Amino acid sequence: MSPAFFPVVVVGAGPTGLTLANLLGLQGIPTLLVEKNATTVQEPRAVSIDDESLRTMQAVGLVSQVLQHVMTGYGSRYLDSARRCFLEVAPTQVIYGYPRRNAFRQPQLEGLLRTGLSRFEHVTTRFGWNLDRFAQNESEVALTHTDPQGASQQVRCAWLVGCDGASSSIRSALGLNLEGETFAERWLIVDLEDSPAPCRDTLVFCDVSRPCIALPGPDFTRRFEFKLREHETSESVLAEGMVAKLLAAHGAAPKSRIVRKTVYTFHARIAPAWKVGRVILAGDACHLSPPFAGQGMNSGIRDAHNLAWKLAAVISGKLGPNLLETYEQERKGHVREMIQLALRMGRIMGPPSRLAGALTRLTFRTLGMWPPARDYFGQMKYKPKPRFRAGFQLGTRGPCAALVGRLIPQPTVTTPEGDQVLLDHVLGDGFSLLALTEDVKHFATAARTWAGIEVKLVVLKRDADPTRFDGLTVVVGDSSALLGSVAPEVRELVLLVRPDRYVAAAFAVAHVAGAARDFEALRAATWGELRAVASIA
Ligand SMILES: Cc1cc2nc3c(=O)[nH]c(=O)nc-3n(C[C@H](O)[C@H](O)[C@H](O)COP(=O)(O)OP(=O)(O)OC[C@H]3O[C@@H](n4cnc5c(N)ncnc54)[C@H](O)[C@@H]3O)c2cc1C
């Protein structure tokens, strides 16, 4: 009997693989998820989830459950060695529908994502199964995995996605080594329960002799991260007395319960290629970031959202396989920027010398007197914007160019029924043509298919009194004018929004026909030949 065939096999049920499998489930793609452990992760790892990931959880259909375990909207206070605050990050702007920085616990998120998979009959999960090896040719990938009793089984797939974490055996089998800066700092991580914090913000102790980060979490959990000194061994800092001393010195509540203590070595590295033939890497399998910007997992969730609709479009034959080449093209630059941000933040937390620390603090205190600079840091405007410059998008000139390749803001809109909902709820799971126009009639002749793709037609008006004007188009009101504020100079504009909410094309309402022709050409380009396929045993 020929081994079972799945269009997609995802290896690794961390946040990246679980998110990807859920999104593929929503798109109706038969998927096999293989995880070597019997359960999802039990020990705390990531503790900070951003607005973009919460928006992806909204796309996954689980955001209301996830939010029950999230402490939304917290900031950071950077303290000098005398514990005086020299920089406050307190983002209040809500651009993508959720607060920018939120505390959570990775095991709870993974548990919810795993439960979420039970919604899809066409998604098979195999926990306790280990991927042993794989080989690919031009048309498929054959893989061997072992069940919990040690029996081997073969399956075949069209696409294998390695979400198998930092030590990815799939990456190794592809002959890819992580490259880039080696940032091998060692940090002691201590997770506490029953540990009320003095404030709801992260406290960053920028002390040259002992940098430390204290992050409050939901349900009175708290994470402490202490940088090891060069001469210190893991055993010496993990000793009970040492941990107690460090916690007391940094204000942990005396009755806190330690649930986990461990020493991690952080890295800042990227794989040179994220796709070889029919095998694709995502999450920690292809990029590692120190956790100072809280972006390792968030970057993996971005990968999953970028990849899921592309796999679905290719498998269903709506777009050609070249589309998958745009995954690395679109994601890699942003991942690099996030890693650089984490390294910069690490240097603020742990300056290389007392002089460097004093200069950094002086700079921030001086800048803090200038409102635009205060706003820049306070609102986290230093965080790289979710944007790519090349990929599956229509290049354009003029004021519209600023919108292409960007994640669109997500305002709360008023539906024709008078409900207040987040915009993505109206846009649905696929492509949409979103017209920012006050003259609804401009859109009256549009059909459900545009430039060969199925689209949902949505008109966003500024006024808060929307009415449905035909069977095809939904008219909603955005009284916040959040979307209009993205490009205030552009009026009467249409955005082609991809399923991952990035703008694939932006054009004036009057240029709909020309843009459709250009988009047809882009669509046709996805049908080129697959890049060279290597056979890997
Ligand atoms: C101390 C610490 C703090 C962090 N803080 C943050 C933070 O605040 N915010 C943030 O965004 N990120 C943070 N991170 C990073 C975050 O935890 C990781 O980036 C994230 O877990 C990566 O998810 P992933 O799904 O790509 O990989 P993983 O979570 O590593 O999952 C990979 C999965 O693949 C499975 N697997 C591996 N090989 C096989 C095989 N052969 N067969 C079957 N299954 C296999 C593994 O068992 C594992 O379950 C932190 C990390 C650490 C260590």
Side-chain angles (χ1 to χ4, degrees), residues 44-45 47 71 74 79 83 103-105 189-205 212-226 246-254 256-261:
R45 289 182 71 189
V47 290
M71 206 174 81
Y74 73 150
L79 312 175
R83 309 279 160 94
F104 87 117
R105 288 293 178 262
I189 309 294
V190 185
D191 282 294
L192 305 176
E193 283 182 355
D194 300 326
S195 187
C199 69
R200 73 191 308 277
D201 291 334
T202 298
L203 297 179
V204 187
F205 301 86
C212 162
I213 312 162
L215 304 105
D219 308 320
F220 299 113
T221 53
R222 203 160 177 216
R223 153 81 53 88
F224 280 83
E225 303 179 355
F226 302 98
L246 287 172
L247 288 175
H250 293 84
S256 310
R257 200 155 41 81
I258 298 176
V259 287
R260 181 169 172 259
K261 51 180 183 175

Side-chain angles (χ1 to χ4, degrees), residues 12 15-16 35-37 45-48 106 131 284 294 296-298:
T16 310
E35 166 57 50
K36 69 179 176 189
N37 293 328
R45 289 182 71 189
V47 290
S48 195
Q106 191 167 330
L131 172 84
D284 274 18
M297 180 200 73
N298 289 306

Side-chain angles (χ1 to χ4, degrees), residues 8 19 40 103 154 172 243 307 429:
V8 184
T19 303
T40 47
Q154 277 216 336
S172 305
V243 172
L307 197 50
D429 295 334

